[in-house]
Amino acid sequence: MINLEKFEVWFVTGSQHLYGEETLKQVAVHSKKIAAAFNEAKHMPVQVKFKPVVKSPEEIYAICQEANTTTNCIGIIAWMHTFSPAKMWIGGLKILQKPLLHLHTQFNRDIPWGSIDMDFMNLNQSAHGDREFGFMMSRMRLNRKVVVGHWQDETVVQQLNVWCRSAAAWHDWQGARFVRFGDNMRYVAVTDGDKVEAEMKFGYSVNTHGIGDLAAVISNVKEKEIDNLVEIYNSTYKLAASLKNNGSQYQSLRDAAKIEIGLRRFLKAGNFKGFTDTFEDLHGLVQLPGIAVQRLMNEGYGFAAEGDWKTAALVRAMKVMAAGLPGGNSFMEDYTYHFEPGNKMVLGAHMLEICESIANGKPSCEIHPLGIGGKADPVRLVFNVAAGAALNASVIDMGNRFRLLVNEVEAVKPQQPLPKLPVARVLWKPYPDMQTGCAAWILAGGAHHTCYSQNLTAQHLEDFAEMAGIEYVLIGKATNLPQLKNELRWNEMYYQMNRY
């Protein structure tokens, strides 16, 4: 469902006519070589396209305008090979609507000690030109990514890789549509928020459809379609005995399949990239969607429960960022704690809806009572999640701005079986430790719903927040509470002063 290879980032090099045609030809040759190397890099998720060297305000304005109107262009990498007077860039930067990465590099890695002369200096003066360019972006208060290092260094390529993934997710949000089936869970604060402000800030829209609209689509699903999907369930998962053909709860499996088919059809017809539902509004459905949600998330749809549209959109964005990487991303909730001295952990889960992309091994397809919602017992996939580095991320509406909060964690293998826990689950240890990590999350107003990621880093999320122009707060190995409290206070002052 998610293919990043169709996207492009444009490699734009700045110079000027002062240096003459021969120098400009060399600039172009060098720029083409760098762009080609990035494009051919092993893990580069998108295409890197060389664009002609820009040498005047008119050329700069034109390339920025072209980037804005080119659908598959998701951002610009800018580099000043020589000196490019920055006043030439004002008009283009004022209209640029795509993310911008400033690459501070040099074609030659080393100084040619025995042959360096003024011709070499004039050609290779990125140390000079990029500072001029950097000043103008700072003077214009523009958000951008700055990457420093030789273009052949693996660390530089990796930083570009991360930024391109974040840019792809930002591009995916522009014009995206998310649907809420019903409202958010009654009386709950953090899952609510300002959808108008979100559309202005993030570019995606959130609108509600009554659950009856979905039920009508589900009711038209054909028996043959159900037969085919049930067969997929049977071949893909370890099916509980009661759910097998002639089992006592086989009809429940067919009901779950019918919901999945209808839900997928509704999402495709409306061109939605994600959705929410709530157990408090199930009129017309036999059971709360469980396996349907898990499988749709695995296909790339964003999801969050209880009407939490902000987390549904974030899940979608993080799935786009991670497309093609090993591991997965899933809707998640901090559910319960393990406070054993020296071995404190969080158990993350939800009632049903954890994405199978993070499963450790073949999931089991089971049916169990839910206890809330007042409907038939729902079918769901049950599994453990592998140990390893991970993170949880949450978007919260602070009233005067949105905050993206990230906690780096270490997932751990369950130390004992969980035979009576009828949901997918993961255990993790928050960084820097349980007490600090949890206290920091609460002090920052973090939601109980998150997106859990096995394959993204905090840098992906920081770059994404920079593109969105929103607050970013990291809880990681170096976090201490006094410093975090001050950071939150400083941020509050900054955003109060820059509300309009």
Side-chain angles (χ1 to χ4, degrees):
M1 182 177 177
I2 299 172
N3 176 21
L4 302 187
E5 294 179 358
K6 63 183 178 181
F7 295 132
E8 299 176 358
V9 293
W10 291 358
F11 191 82
V12 178
T13 305
S15 187
Q16 59 177 320
H17 289 291
L18 174 69
Y19 302 106
E21 288 304 312
E22 286 304 312
T23 296
L24 291 175
K25 286 179 182 178
Q26 287 182 277
V27 169
V29 169
H30 291 173
S31 299
K32 287 179 181 178
K33 187 171 182 178
I34 294 174
F38 288 154
N39 189 55
E40 294 165 7
K42 183 178 179 181
H43 299 297
M44 189 61 64
V46 303
Q47 300 176 63
V48 179
K49 294 288 188 180
F50 166 79
K51 289 293 176 178
V53 177
V54 290
K55 307 169 292 296
S56 67
E58 293 77 18
E59 291 176 354
I60 294 167
Y61 187 93
I63 198 71
C64 292
Q65 188 175 53
E66 185 184 358
N68 287 342
T69 57
T70 301
T71 303
N72 61 342
C73 174
I74 63 171
I76 285 178
I77 299 171
W79 170 50
M80 305 303 113
H81 191 313
T82 61
F83 192 77
S84 179
K87 287 172 68 176
M88 296 196 307
W89 286 86
I90 293 174
L93 293 175
K94 281 175 66 176
I95 67 164
L96 183 63
Q97 298 170 356
K98 301 290 177 77
L100 178 62
L101 182 145
H102 181 191
L103 177 62
H104 185 41
T105 190
Q106 183 173 284
F107 184 75
N108 286 64
R109 192 194 69 176
D110 303 328
I111 293 174
W113 303 106
S115 61
I116 187 170
D117 56 18
M118 283 310 300
D119 287 339
F120 180 92
M121 294 277 277
N122 285 331
L123 176 63
N124 297 282
Q125 54 174 310
S126 301
H128 183 193
D130 278 330
R131 281 168 169 75
E132 168 78 354
F133 183 58
F135 161 75
M136 184 51 65
M137 288 185 290
S138 295
R139 176 68 175 80
M140 296 174 71
R141 274 61 173 182
L142 296 180
N143 292 340
R144 78 279 194 189
K145 174 80 172 181
V146 178
V147 174
V148 179
H150 191 255
W151 56 276
Q152 291 178 315
D153 288 349
E154 183 58 34
T155 54
V156 169
V157 177
Q158 180 56 29
Q159 288 183 75
L160 264 63
N161 181 326
V162 168
W163 180 84
C164 287
R165 289 183 171 278
S166 300
W170 178 247
H171 180 82
D172 183 76
W173 261 12
Q174 307 313 302
R177 304 178 68 197
F178 294 88
V179 58
R180 297 170 78 201
F181 296 111
D183 204 349
N184 68 306
M185 183 178 174
R186 289 188 281 274
Y187 301 112
V188 177
V190 75
T191 58
D192 215 335
D194 189 337
K195 296 190 290 295
V196 174
E197 183 65 24
E199 186 165 353
M200 292 167 58
K201 193 71 177 174
F202 299 133
Y204 64 73
S205 64
V206 182
N207 289 290
T208 298
H209 277 263
I211 196 71
D213 294 342
L214 173 60
V217 177
I218 293 172
S219 67
N220 289 322
V221 173
K222 307 299 183 186
E223 290 298 311
K224 181 61 176 175
E225 296 176 284
I226 299 173
D227 293 340
N228 293 338
L229 185 52
V230 166
E231 183 55 38
I232 292 173
Y233 291 167
N234 190 51
S235 62
T236 306
Y237 311 113
K238 295 179 286 186
L239 217 59
S242 66
L243 294 176
K244 293 181 178 179
N245 197 359
N246 298 321
S248 61
Q249 294 173 301
Y250 179 64
Q251 184 57 48
S252 294
L253 186 69
R254 294 185 66 83
D255 291 338
K258 187 174 183 179
I259 290 172
E260 179 180 336
I261 295 165
L263 183 50
R264 182 180 287 104
R265 187 166 296 162
F266 190 102
L267 294 173
K268 286 184 176 179
N271 196 28
F272 295 111
K273 293 181 176 179
F275 64 104
T276 71
D277 62 15
T278 173
F279 65 89
E280 290 184 323
D281 191 353
L282 296 174
H283 182 71
L285 298 191
V286 176
Q287 56 183 260
L288 179 64
I291 188 173
V293 170
Q294 293 174 291
R295 284 170 50 82
L296 286 165
M297 262 196 289
N298 193 37
E299 293 176 17
Y301 286 101
F303 171 81
E306 289 105 45
D308 186 357
W309 52 271
K310 297 188 297 299
T311 301
L314 181 62
V315 170
R316 167 66 185 190
M318 291 173 67
K319 284 187 172 291
V320 172
M321 284 183 223
L325 296 177
N329 292 267
S330 176
F331 169 62
M332 187 59 67
E333 178 173 279
D334 297 59
Y335 225 104
T336 194
Y337 291 146
H338 183 70
F339 274 132
E340 177 187 356
N343 190 33
K344 299 180 177 68
M345 294 178 287
V346 178
L347 190 150
H350 204 258
M351 297 183 296
L352 304 170
E353 311 97 341
I354 301 300
C355 180
E356 62 176 311
S357 67
I358 65 172
N360 185 22
K362 190 174 184 177
S364 174
C365 183
E366 303 177 11
I367 183 169
H368 300 278
L370 184 60
I372 56 177
K375 294 291 182 177
D377 297 339
V379 177
R380 81 291 302 272
L381 300 176
V382 177
F383 51 83
N384 289 322
V385 175
L391 59 79
N392 279 298
S394 179
V395 172
I396 40 187
D397 186 343
M398 295 299 294
N400 62 340
R401 82 272 193 189
F402 291 98
R403 171 181 289 165
L404 178 57
L405 180 61
V406 175
N407 186 197
E408 296 173 318
V409 305
E410 187 72 23
V412 296
K413 181 181 178 180
Q415 297 169 338
Q416 298 184 38
L418 299 161
K420 294 186 177 182
L421 186 60
V423 292
R425 59 276 179 150
V426 55
L427 285 158
W428 68 75
K429 296 184 178 183
Y431 283 118
D433 55 68
M434 184 79 162
Q435 292 91 333
T436 305
C438 292
W441 189 270
I442 289 171
L443 285 167
H448 55 282
H449 289 169
T450 62
C451 181
Y452 175 89
S453 178
Q454 296 173 317
N455 48 23
L456 297 176
T457 66
Q459 191 61 60
H460 289 92
L461 279 300
E462 182 179 351
D463 286 355
F464 187 73
E466 197 73 38
M467 294 170 191
I470 63 171
E471 181 185 11
Y472 172 79
V473 176
L474 173 65
I475 303 169
K477 295 179 182 179
T479 297
N480 68 75
L481 288 181
Q483 180 180 352
L484 180 82
K485 289 177 182 177
N486 280 335
E487 179 184 345
L488 296 175
R489 293 184 185 107
W490 298 331
N491 289 0
E492 187 66 38
M493 181 182 299
Y494 171 84
Y495 284 99
Q496 287 290 354
M497 294 172 63
N498 293 275
R499 291 188 66 180
Y500 305 105

